[in-house]
Amino acid sequence: MTNTFYKAFSSEQYKLSKNKEIFGVLLLPVVITFAVGLYIIYNVLTEGADNDGTSNPWKMVLGRPIFMFFYMLYPILVSLFVHACCDIEDKNNNYKILFTIPVSKSKIFISKALFILTTVWLSIVLSYLAFLLSGFLLSLVFPELGFQNYDFREVIFYVFLKFSITLSAIAMVQLALSLVFKNFIYPIGFSMFMLVFSGIVNEKTYSDFLVYTGGYKSYGNFVTENIAFERLDYCNIAAVFIFAAVSFYLFVNKKGV
């Protein structure tokens, strides 16, 4: 059984890794992180360091612009990647071929879902490391900015951890949508609408039940140094399993025609 699952996972990994969208979700956030770092260097060289020493540069100089990009861009990248993972089966009626191989639908789905989540987690880890490296290099090149004066590792770790939970929940929501709709406009459009809507209603109590709110609040968590797990985070953890179950039902009941 283990060997069969490993073969199914390896097959999904090989097939889905051919999608060009995987490079976007893995590399674009890292590129943005380093681009912000380069802009900070350029700004210091041309205008000088404007940090007065009283504000945390990890938070105000580096973190704020990066997370402004992340909370809007990351969910869209994840949505595009997840849809591409489903679209590869829709093309040329691959479901008909997929469901004729001697591997259960449940193992195929679990392999696909695990590959999607693994890719999202790897992307977050790469972004996390790029963020730490950028701050470390800035502390060496421009010590006057004060990066070396603050130990911000705990806040950075927990904010990225909670953000990874949010993106995992979004990935499972988008997986369910992509299994229902073949046209990418609907799942991607839904993701964009929810990003805007969750930003508008983020102060409302019910916003904690909207997984997309986690992206917006990750920015606030970083600025306010909030590392505590709150209702939103627990709801997003539950959403990962709930929408994974919904996606599983949709997948195993999908017709291979």
Side-chain angles (χ1 to χ4, degrees):
M1 182 182 296
T2 303
N3 187 48
T4 304
F5 174 78
Y6 176 75
K7 289 181 178 179
F9 182 79
S10 299
S11 176
E12 289 297 310
Q13 181 184 25
Y14 174 78
K15 178 175 57 180
L16 300 179
S17 63
K18 300 303 179 181
N19 292 333
K20 61 181 181 299
E21 286 82 359
I22 192 176
F23 298 103
V25 77
L26 286 175
L27 300 180
L28 189 55
V30 175
V31 172
I32 289 175
T33 301
F34 286 131
V36 171
L38 290 175
Y39 174 78
I40 293 171
I41 293 175
Y42 170 79
N43 196 53
V44 172
L45 291 175
T46 56
E47 300 182 12
D50 57 358
N51 188 27
D52 57 7
T54 60
S55 60
N56 186 339
W58 287 97
K59 178 171 61 176
M60 305 308 296
V61 177
L62 184 63
R64 186 165 61 176
I66 286 177
F67 269 88
M68 286 180 68
F69 280 109
F70 276 9
Y71 90 80
M72 287 297 291
L73 179 64
Y74 238 129
I76 299 299
L77 289 176
V78 170
S79 300
L80 288 170
F81 168 65
V82 172
H83 181 77
C85 289
C86 295
D87 187 56
I88 196 173
E89 311 295 2
D90 288 317
K91 290 179 178 178
N92 302 318
N93 201 18
N94 282 349
Y95 279 111
K96 185 175 182 179
I97 301 174
L98 188 67
F99 293 160
T100 59
I101 62 177
V103 180
S104 67
K105 290 182 179 180
S106 59
K107 289 180 181 178
I108 297 173
F109 171 80
I110 293 173
S111 300
K112 188 184 294 291
L114 280 179
F115 178 80
I116 290 172
L117 290 175
T118 301
T119 303
V120 171
W121 295 335
L122 178 59
S123 177
I124 286 290
V125 170
L126 291 176
S127 298
Y128 170 70
L129 295 176
F131 187 89
L132 290 176
L133 180 60
S134 296
F136 175 72
L137 293 177
L138 287 171
S139 70
L140 294 178
V141 179
F142 298 110
E144 62 270 23
L145 290 175
F147 279 90
Q148 69 281 0
N149 298 329
Y150 295 86
D151 186 357
F152 213 55
R153 289 174 295 178
E154 184 179 28
V155 174
I156 296 170
F157 173 79
Y158 278 104
V159 170
F160 271 92
L161 176 61
K162 295 201 292 181
F163 192 41
S164 69
I165 294 172
T166 292
L167 292 180
S168 298
I170 290 175
M172 292 298 99
V173 172
Q174 292 298 138
L175 179 56
L177 290 172
S178 296
L179 288 171
V180 174
F181 301 106
K182 291 184 179 181
N183 194 321
F184 81 98
I185 292 177
Y186 297 108
I188 305 304
F190 177 82
S191 179
M192 295 180 68
F193 170 78
M194 289 304 299
L195 280 175
V196 175
F197 180 72
S198 61
I200 294 173
V201 303
N202 72 91
E203 298 296 334
K204 304 292 185 181
T205 304
Y206 62 80
S207 68
D208 287 344
F209 299 101
L210 305 175
V211 299
Y212 297 84
T213 308
Y216 181 85
K217 290 195 174 179
S218 65
Y219 169 71
N221 288 336
F222 199 91
V223 173
T224 60
E225 303 181 27
N226 178 24
I227 65 173
F229 272 67
E230 301 172 318
R231 184 173 65 174
L232 171 65
D233 303 300
Y234 295 115
C235 288
N236 283 348
I237 292 174
V240 173
F241 294 98
I242 291 171
F243 284 97
V246 172
S247 300
F248 175 79
Y249 174 81
L250 293 172
F251 186 84
V252 298
N253 288 281
K254 200 174 185 67
K255 303 299 182 182
V257 292

